[in-house]
Every structure is written in structure tokens, then in C-alpha cells.
Amino acid sequence: MATETDTRLAVDRFEWVDPTLAGFCAVSLALAFAGTLVQVSFGTYTMTLGTAWGAVFDPAVWLRLDVLATLLLGDGLAGSLGFETEYDLAKDTLVVWTIRMPRVLVAALVGLSLALSGAIFQAVTKNELASPFILGVSSGAGLAILLTLVAFPTLSTLLPVTAAVGGTLAFLVVYAIAWKGGTSPVRLVLAGVIVGTVLNSLQTALFFFAGDVGTVQQAVAWTTGSLTGVDWEQVRMLLPWVVLVVLPGTALGARQLNVLLLGESTASALGMRVERTRFLLSGVGIVAAAASVAVAGIVGFVGLIVPHMVRTVVGTDHKRLLVGCAFAGPALVVVADTVARLFFPVVVGSPTQLPVGIVTGLVGGPYFLYLMRKRQQLGEL
Amino acid sequence: MLPAGEVTALVGPNGSGKSTLLKALAGQLEPLTGSVRFDGDDVYGMDKKSLARSLALLTQEGDTPDTLTVEELVRHGRYPHRGFLETLSEADRAAVDRALAVTGIEHLRETELGNISGGQQQLARIAMTLAQEPEVLLLDEPTTFLDLRHQLGVLDAVRELNRDHEVTVGVVLHDIAQAARYADNLVALRDGTPYDWGPPEDVVTEELLAEVFGVDATVREGPEIVPHRPLE
């Protein structure tokens, strides 16, 4: 009897997973995987897709704890934990796993964080035009990063922290400006646009104080969003935030987001402490956005359009929406980064790499225009 | 203010403070002076979730997501009964089923809110407040924007709840004639202060209609109101 109830409850816990959602996630996964294969097979050392497949699933990596630990934790930490950090791998595997795979992983993590962050901010502000960019979080994080690079280059290892601090400060300022005995979606977005504009001006101003051309180039890469040159170090930087804060936060927040969507006074009448809940959820959104800005700079449009695309397929229920975003976000950024890295080398034959932010912008802008034309109303969720 | 087990209607002209008073009663808007007590406890000192387990408020917010199904909406009424990580219990399901049955919208269970009429949406929202299993139900203009048939449907559902489940009801109504027919008590407000309160037959007088509503009208037995013209 008891087990019967248990199974039923276990089934109920996942009753919201329907074929549409499962199919959507499967397609996203397939896209992300196709992008990955192409990404890891091309480059100065090119291999066939079949070889790439073999290298990605090389048991010499997956079945050896030492190798995985060294890649994920880094030489120092893995070594001090007693893992063997010296190992031999086949050449293909070595190229894929040490040079090209980290870039794919960072792209996936950035896509995941930005998509979830956007979905959270859209629900919290009850505004489908909201995103970490609109609310000033990205600009704040970006400015903090530029300040660190230009004024305190010695602190560059602390970039995720400074980014998070900058993002949080910017959001607090936005919240404070919008606050008038409570907040409203429109006030939040307006305040976000104002603060974002000021912060962007400050970012541009900082370019003039940058000592050398190298710093300026690095800074420009930040503000357009680029994954060029990312390594396992960036994976190690991003992964803890995603696993410890972003994923648990969104998993716990899904139902709260659903209730928030019913409207502020309804949520409050149901016994929710609305401002506190909003603030905590925003915190999760800030961490997600800031962490990805710290490793990849400001990759535009992902936080705005991914939740939209997912919503049109799976609906507004946040359990479904957030799971969909967790698959679609990585798919978009992995594919976009593959295009960004390989478009010019493969099509034109020149070695130029585009920043991924330019590709997401080129895809995102028109998609958003299409939405605007197709839908009667855009704005209030 | 709201006698237990009875239906009390707050009436008054636009801007007289009906909705404000209801929000204050619901623990949504703390009054600058005075206090709101529920069974002797100060509403503003109570834990919000435990308050929501005994007192439900139907707000005027109607912008629920269109893709939500009726059942999903009604399930949100269980929010104050559920812990942070709990799934729906048997008791939760039973409460949802009862709420759907009382409001007579069981057949719409799987239907999305975007595909039903305004009146049915209102019934679904009332069902959500019923799923809270409150002792006191406060409704802010539940019949505004509905056609006459749905107005009567909503009011009948509320009346039935009160009679069969002994729920105390406080309701803001625009239409004083409707309020006089449905409520056990009326509270008439003018400029933010109660003008008169009591059973409809005592409260509804030609003098009140002139003073509070600015309307010249005849009051017949019942009380039934026959309005003639606005007073200058």
C-alpha cells in the first residue's frame, strides 16, 4: 500500500514532462551534439567526424578518473588530492579534450546560464522583454570586468567575483530606482534601460584610459562576447556556480515563478512574501548572468530569445520552461560558437574568428523582429 | 466587521474605498491606524502562509497566463498548504477536486484559460481561492465585466459555499441592488468611511441612495431598488 502511494507520488513529481517537452529537449541535445562534433573536428589539425566521435567518447578519458579529475579540477588541485596528473592519450583525443572540448563546454554552460537567467528575470518582472541585459545586470558585470582589467590587472583571477559584484550592484541600483513601495514590470525595465545606458557610457569611457592596445582588444572582446581562447580554466571558473547556485536555484524556484506569474497581489494573497521571493530569485538570475559574463563577456540576445522560443513550444509552466531553456540555451550557444569559429576559415579560407556574441546578435535580432511582427502584443507576461 | 458564517457585501460609489478596505481586511494593505483581527489575532502579525490557509482573497487581477489549464490554476490555491519541496498530497488533490465541483467547472479541468469565457475564467479563479480551503473568503468585485448570466452564476456559487461549507464571505459589489438581494449584511461606504451597516432591509433606504450614491430612487419591499435619475 505504502509503496503504491510512493510510486504514484514519484510519477506525479514528473507528470509535467510531456512528449512535447521531451521531444524539444531531444532536438536541442541533438543540435548541441552536432555542433560539438563539427567544432571539435575542424581546425589547424582537422579530423573526420568519425574520428572526432571516437575521440569525444574515448574510453581513455571517460573511464579514467585521473584524467577527468585533472581536466575538471586542474593540475594543482587534482595533484594535491592524490590524482595522477601525467597521462598519455592518443593525438586526436588529446587535441579534442585539451584544446577544443573546453570551448564547447564553456559555450554550453554560458548558454545554460544566460537562458535560465533570462527566464527567471522575465518571470520576476512579469515582462517578456526582460533579460539580464535589459535589467542592467550585464552592463554592471561588464563595467566591473573592464575596471578590473584596466585599473587592477593583478586581480584578473577574481573576474567572476568582480563580475557578480558589479552585476549585483547594478541590479540593486535598478531596483532602488524602480522601488516606490513595491515595484512594477514597467518601472523595473525603464530603470534598467537608464542604468544600462549610463554603465555602457562608462565602459566606453574606460577604453580611453586603457594603457595599451592589447587591453583595449581584450576589452572589446568582453563587450561583444567571445569564446576565443577559453580553456579548462574557464570551465573550472563557471562550473561551480552553475552546479551549486544556478541549477538548484532554478529547480527550487520553478513553482514560485509560476505563482508570481499570477500577479503580485494574487501571489501575496496565496501567502507568498512577494518581494523577498522576487529578490532571492533575482539573486539566482544575477549569479547566472554574472558568471557567464565573467568567462565569455556579454553574449547578447541569448537570455532574451531562448525563453521566448521555449515558451512558444512548451508553454508558460516554469517547470517545463526552465527545463526547455536548460537544453535550448546550450544548443544555441554551442552552434553559434561553431559558426563563429569556423565560418570564415571554412567558407572564405581566412583565419578570422568572429566573437560568438556577433552571431547570436545576428540570429537573435531578426528572430525578435519576427516575433514583434507576428504577435499582436509583446511585453506583459 | 464580517460576522462569521454570513455574507457581507461592501457597497459604495466609485472611489469610496471598498476595495481598499477589502485589501486591508485581507492583510494586503496595512492600515495607518486601527488593526485587523482574525479570530482575535492581528492579521498583520500573522505568518503569511498560515493566514492564507484561513483567509483567501480573490483580487481583481485577471491577467493569468493563457496557456495555464484550469486545473493548474486551481492547484496554485494549494500553495499555502504545501511545503517548499512537497508535491501535491492526496489532501491537495481532494481539495482541488472539491473546488472544481463546487464551482461547477469540472468539465473544463484540462482546458486552457485562453480558451474559455471571462465568466468561466472568473469561476476558475474563485475555484483557486476555494482550494485554499479558507474560513473567510474575500472577493474584490467578482462580477464586474461579466454578463448577467455569469454574474448570477458566480454569486450563486458563493452563496452555496457560504450555506453548505459555512465559509464567511466578504464581497465588494458594484451593484447595490445585487448586493441587497444576495448579502446577509451590507456595509455602505462613503468617502472612505462606513456610512451605515446592517441587514439590507435596514441599510437600503431612499435616504442612503441619495446621500451615498447620489441617486434618486424608490425602495420597495424586498428591498428592491428602482433608480430614477442622478441627483445634482
Side-chain angles (χ1 to χ4, degrees):
Chain A
M1 184 62 201
T3 49
E4 199 174 297
T5 330
D6 286 348
T7 9
R8 196 180 148 194
L9 284 178
V11 171
D12 287 351
R13 200 175 263 276
F14 293 103
E15 68 186 340
W16 46 271
V17 180
D18 57 2
T20 323
L21 177 65
F24 182 82
C25 293
V27 170
S28 301
L29 209 59
L31 273 176
F33 197 71
T36 305
L37 272 190
V38 173
Q39 182 77 300
V40 298
S41 55
F42 287 96
T44 28
Y45 176 84
T46 295
M47 58 190 93
T48 63
L49 288 178
T51 324
W53 175 283
V56 168
F57 290 106
D58 193 340
V61 174
W62 286 102
L63 297 181
R64 280 165 61 185
L65 215 52
D66 288 340
V67 179
L68 283 179
T70 311
L71 291 176
L72 282 176
L73 303 175
D75 280 348
L77 187 54
S80 59
L81 284 175
F83 289 105
E84 188 62 56
T85 56
E86 299 290 325
Y87 44 80
D88 287 322
L89 292 172
K91 190 174 180 200
D92 295 327
T93 310
L94 203 64
V95 168
V96 166
W97 279 94
T98 53
I99 303 173
R100 297 182 187 161
M101 208 52 178
R103 179 159 176 166
V104 174
L105 288 176
V106 170
L109 291 174
V110 165
L112 175 90
S113 308
L114 288 178
L116 290 178
S117 173
I120 290 175
F121 280 123
Q122 286 178 10
V124 165
T125 60
K126 240 180 153 271
N127 188 320
E128 44 179 355
L129 299 178
S131 73
F133 301 87
I134 300 273
L135 295 174
V137 175
S138 303
S139 323
L143 180 64
I145 284 167
L146 277 186
L147 263 179
T148 315
L149 287 178
V150 173
F152 313 99
T154 45
L155 294 179
S156 60
T157 46
L158 291 175
L159 279 183
V161 179
T162 45
V165 170
T168 311
L169 284 179
F171 186 72
L172 286 176
V173 171
V174 169
Y175 221 88
I177 293 177
W179 184 275
K180 211 173 180 183
T183 49
S184 82
V186 179
R187 297 178 59 84
L188 266 177
V189 169
L190 280 178
V193 170
I194 295 165
V195 171
T197 311
V198 173
L199 291 176
N200 285 334
S201 307
L202 289 175
Q203 283 184 25
T204 316
L206 269 181
F207 287 171
F208 292 99
F209 294 101
D212 59 308
V213 183
T215 315
V216 172
Q217 263 178 352
Q218 206 183 349
V220 170
W222 278 111
T223 48
T224 42
S226 167
L227 292 171
T228 308
V230 299
D231 198 358
W232 280 102
E233 193 192 326
Q234 277 76 23
V235 178
R236 282 173 224 135
M237 228 169 179
L238 192 48
L239 197 60
W241 297 98
V242 171
V243 173
L244 297 178
V245 181
V246 179
L247 291 179
T250 39
L252 293 176
R255 182 151 54 99
Q256 317 290 330
L257 291 171
N258 279 337
V259 174
L260 269 180
L261 270 197
L262 299 178
E264 190 174 340
S265 47
T266 304
S268 168
L270 285 172
M272 178 190 279
R273 285 152 74 185
V274 176
E275 289 302 342
R276 194 186 67 143
T277 310
R278 256 193 202 154
F279 213 79
L280 288 176
L281 287 166
S282 302
V284 176
I286 290 172
V287 169
S292 75
V293 170
V295 296
I298 301 176
V299 182
F301 272 111
V302 178
L304 185 62
I305 61 168
V306 172
H308 268 278
M309 289 193 309
V310 181
R311 202 175 286 120
T312 51
V313 179
V314 306
T316 37
D317 178 74
H318 274 79
K319 285 193 230 92
R320 288 196 285 267
L321 181 65
L322 291 169
V323 169
C325 283
F327 282 84
L332 176 70
V333 179
V334 167
V335 171
D337 188 46
T338 306
V339 174
R341 186 171 84 103
L342 298 174
F343 183 77
F344 279 109
V346 172
V347 177
V348 190
S350 86
T352 320
Q353 286 192 26
L354 285 172
V356 62
I358 290 183
V359 178
T360 56
L362 286 177
V363 177
Y367 176 79
F368 211 74
L369 275 179
Y370 158 78
L371 266 183
M372 244 176 86
R373 304 291 302 180
K374 202 184 75 172
R375 299 253 303 268
Q376 296 292 323
Q377 262 186 326
L378 207 58
E380 193 108 325
L381 249 184
Chain B
M1 179 96 202
L2 303 178
E6 295 183 8
V7 176
T8 304
L10 309 182
V11 294
N14 291 339
S16 59
K18 310 180 291 276
S19 292
T20 310
L21 177 58
L22 197 78
K23 277 185 195 144
L25 291 176
Q28 301 274 311
L29 196 65
E30 190 162 4
L32 292 175
T33 56
S35 63
V36 182
R37 292 185 182 280
F38 176 79
D39 269 355
D41 294 327
D42 186 358
V43 161
Y44 290 90
M46 283 169 80
D47 173 60
K48 282 208 73 173
K49 269 200 172 181
S50 59
L51 176 66
R53 282 195 288 270
S54 31
L55 186 148
L57 168 70
L58 179 77
T59 65
Q60 283 193 52
E61 280 174 329
D63 52 346
T64 37
D66 281 348
T67 56
L68 205 65
T69 67
V70 169
E71 183 172 21
E72 284 168 340
L73 176 70
V74 177
R75 278 184 184 177
H76 284 313
R78 298 306 292 173
Y79 181 85
H81 294 268
R82 289 165 71 183
F84 199 53
L85 289 170
E86 279 170 40
T87 50
L88 282 179
S89 66
E90 289 302 316
D92 290 331
R93 280 167 200 286
V96 169
D97 291 345
R98 264 199 308 280
L100 288 168
V102 171
T103 44
I105 50 171
E106 282 163 307
H107 59 291
L108 297 173
R109 191 184 274 267
E110 307 285 338
T111 318
E112 292 184 357
L113 289 170
N115 297 333
I116 59 179
S117 71
Q120 290 169 329
Q121 283 185 15
Q122 192 65 295
L123 285 175
R125 298 180 68 239
I126 291 177
M128 179 183 82
T129 57
L130 295 186
Q132 285 176 250
E133 300 192 309
E135 294 161 49
V136 178
L137 177 58
L138 301 175
L139 305 137
D140 196 355
E141 304 213 15
T143 56
T144 313
F145 305 122
L146 298 184
D147 59 34
L148 190 57
R149 184 170 156 264
H150 281 117
Q151 287 187 20
L152 297 178
V154 166
L155 289 174
D156 280 342
V158 171
R159 188 79 246 188
E160 205 179 299
L161 258 170
N162 165 258
R163 203 179 47 228
D164 300 345
H165 302 270
E166 288 168 2
V167 176
T168 304
V169 176
V171 56
V172 169
L173 285 176
H174 222 69
D175 183 347
I176 184 168
Q178 210 167 50
R181 265 200 316 281
Y182 270 94
D184 300 316
N185 304 290
L186 292 186
V187 177
L189 292 157
R190 187 178 63 173
D191 297 333
T193 43
Y195 174 86
D196 196 7
W197 57 89
E201 50 271 27
D202 298 345
V203 174
V204 179
T205 58
E206 284 168 16
E207 188 197 348
L208 171 118
L209 287 165
E211 293 251 320
V212 175
F213 289 87
V215 170
D216 178 28
T218 313
V219 176
R220 296 200 199 133
E221 199 59 25
E224 188 185 344
I225 300 161
V226 184
H228 301 307
R229 61 188 171 81
L231 292 167
E232 289 306 313

